[in-house]
Amino acid sequence: MNNLSKLGRFNRRVFCAACIFVLSLSKKQSAHELKTIKANWCWLGALTSSGVTIKAKLNIEPNEEKNYIQVIYSTTPNLSSPKRFKANSLDKQIATFNLNNLQEDTQYYCVITVDGRRYPEKGTLKFKTVKVNQPYNFAIGCSSCAGGTVSGFLNNGVSNSSIFDIIREYNTPPLTLFIHMGDLHYKDIKVQDFQDKDINRYRKAYDDVLSQDSQRKLYQNIPIAYIWDDHDYSSNNSDGNYPGKWSASAAYREQVPHYPLVEAVDKIKGTGGIYQSFVIGRVRFIMTDNRFHRDSVDKEDNPEKTLLGKTQKEWFFQELLEGNNNQGLIVWVNSVPWIAGNNPETETTEAWDRYAIEREEIANFLQKNHIAQKLIMISGDAHMLALDDGSNNIYASEGVASFPVIQAASLDSIGSIKGGDYSEKPIKGRKQWGVLHFTDDGQKIEVKVELKKKNETKIEAIFTF
Ligand SMILES: [Fe+2]
């Protein structure tokens, strides 16, 4: 054996010893980390004039009492004169805080503390409460569809696009709320049952979305109002026949900060839809669930065929009447294209033309109750910007009942054009979204619509109600 090979053997021994040392160190570190409870992510939602809901995901299931997990909040960014609020509930590593008794129309800053550890480590979460049922000027952002920039088998179905930073940084004026109209991810989960292991697939998907820096920062700085569509509920074109829908539904309730839901998750009763509504200023937002109760698109159209489901439709009609009686404007958040069936080139299997009899029933209800003139619709699904001033939206058999329709997508998915025609020609693509500015003088509400690619406005319109 020459000196060189002796040296090699010596080096190998030193290397192996070093490896054992590093491995034992990392074992000790991970054991230590397991004992350290902390928040991994959080997001804000259910914004009102007096409160907000925060859902925070912890790295482990805590044994501690709820008061070890708190929100510290203040009206200043440096959290001066702070107040403390302990978690309302702790379940499945999710701490839920329903902050209440806040001042209306007030900017708040907050951090979560878990066993003394602050989240986020730098900066704060923030939100601004609103005014309700009184004139109020505000702006919301909206869009849908964030499958990610890598296509094919490498695509993990989530996005970390810079569009989320652009939306967060928008400041003319800062957005009160971001309405996500579905396809939060493209995990296309298909489970067959309603067991913890099935719900876990959905929990993991929320983890994946909220581990994307740009998305998480958006939802930590602007409260979300989120309704699912097909790819985050299950897979492409999925409907009410999907056997795993109760798992999707349970996970949504557990993981997502949301406004009060009408239905409880009950497999025997067949309930679990996520439709919800809320009011900001004198505007009622109605978000329908277009998946949970939906009949198969392939079913032949007939008066019983439904996209909304009987119970949701009754609720929807009641919401429309309440909006008409109590507010100055209604925004229907409807995830899939409403204007469809007129143009064979842009035909889609997803849209309302496959439920044309129900669409006509809704249009007739709007006409009969004089609601169409107080209504505007925002939609996603089609990965495009488009706008119709109402001229292509005439579906009532007893009158006109037309209203403006806005298509605002996609955040980060391959461009597509669906439905139409639209009075403003569609623009397909990614990094696209909408801003709605509401200006209310107490008599009339003006809605300025800006449909954008990144920061550039591509389509603009003003409607007065
Ligand atoms: Fe989509």
Side-chain angles (χ1 to χ4, degrees), residues 98-222:
N98 301 118
L99 264 73
N100 51 33
N101 295 323
L102 305 177
Q103 296 165 33
E104 69 173 14
D105 193 23
T106 302
Q107 181 74 53
Y108 284 93
Y109 304 85
C110 54
V111 293
I112 295 163
T113 60
V114 183
D115 208 9
R117 277 170 212 89
R118 172 185 168 137
Y119 180 89
E121 284 179 18
K122 289 181 185 163
T124 65
L125 318 170
K126 66 178 202 278
F127 64 92
K128 188 182 180 191
T129 53
V130 296
K131 288 186 181 181
V132 169
N133 286 328
Q134 52 185 307
Y136 186 55
N137 300 339
F138 64 101
I140 61 125
C142 60
S143 192
S144 71
C145 302
T149 49
V150 185
S151 60
F153 68 94
L154 288 174
N155 188 350
N156 67 355
V158 295
S159 168
N160 197 32
S161 168
S162 60
I163 187 60
F164 297 104
D165 298 320
I166 289 169
I167 296 170
R168 174 170 53 86
E169 287 162 5
Y170 183 83
N171 65 359
T172 52
L175 301 174
T176 295
L177 186 75
F178 180 69
I179 299 183
H180 200 304
M181 301 183 287
D183 293 352
L184 183 75
H185 57 76
Y186 281 62
K187 292 286 186 185
D188 289 342
I189 296 167
K190 289 185 203 172
V191 295
Q192 297 303 316
D193 214 334
F194 180 26
Q195 297 179 26
D196 215 43
K197 69 175 174 43
D198 302 314
I199 304 172
N200 269 341
R201 297 274 305 278
Y202 287 92
R203 291 178 183 130
K204 173 77 170 52
Y206 288 115
D207 277 342
D208 286 353
V209 170
L210 288 155
S211 64
Q212 308 302 309
D213 285 351
S214 61
Q215 284 212 64
R216 188 180 62 254
K217 280 185 197 160
L218 172 61
Y219 310 141
Q220 290 181 173
N221 285 275
I222 299 173

Side-chain angles (χ1 to χ4, degrees), residues 32-39 58-64 69 114-117:
H32 176 71
E33 272 170 14
L34 281 177
K35 288 180 194 163
T36 304
I37 183 168
K38 60 177 186 173
L58 309 175
N59 61 328
I60 53 170
E61 191 70 50
N63 296 318
E64 287 94 337
I69 301 170
V114 183
D115 208 9
R117 277 170 212 89

Side-chain angles (χ1 to χ4, degrees), residues 204-246:
K204 173 77 170 52
Y206 288 115
D207 277 342
D208 286 353
V209 170
L210 288 155
S211 64
Q212 308 302 309
D213 285 351
S214 61
Q215 284 212 64
R216 188 180 62 254
K217 280 185 197 160
L218 172 61
Y219 310 141
Q220 290 181 173
N221 285 275
I222 299 173
I224 196 170
Y226 157 54
I227 202 92
W228 60 34
D229 201 34
D230 50 349
H231 294 279
D232 44 354
Y233 163 77
S234 179
S235 54
N236 197 29
N237 287 6
S238 47
D239 57 34
N241 298 305
Y242 168 50
K245 67 181 183 178
W246 289 279

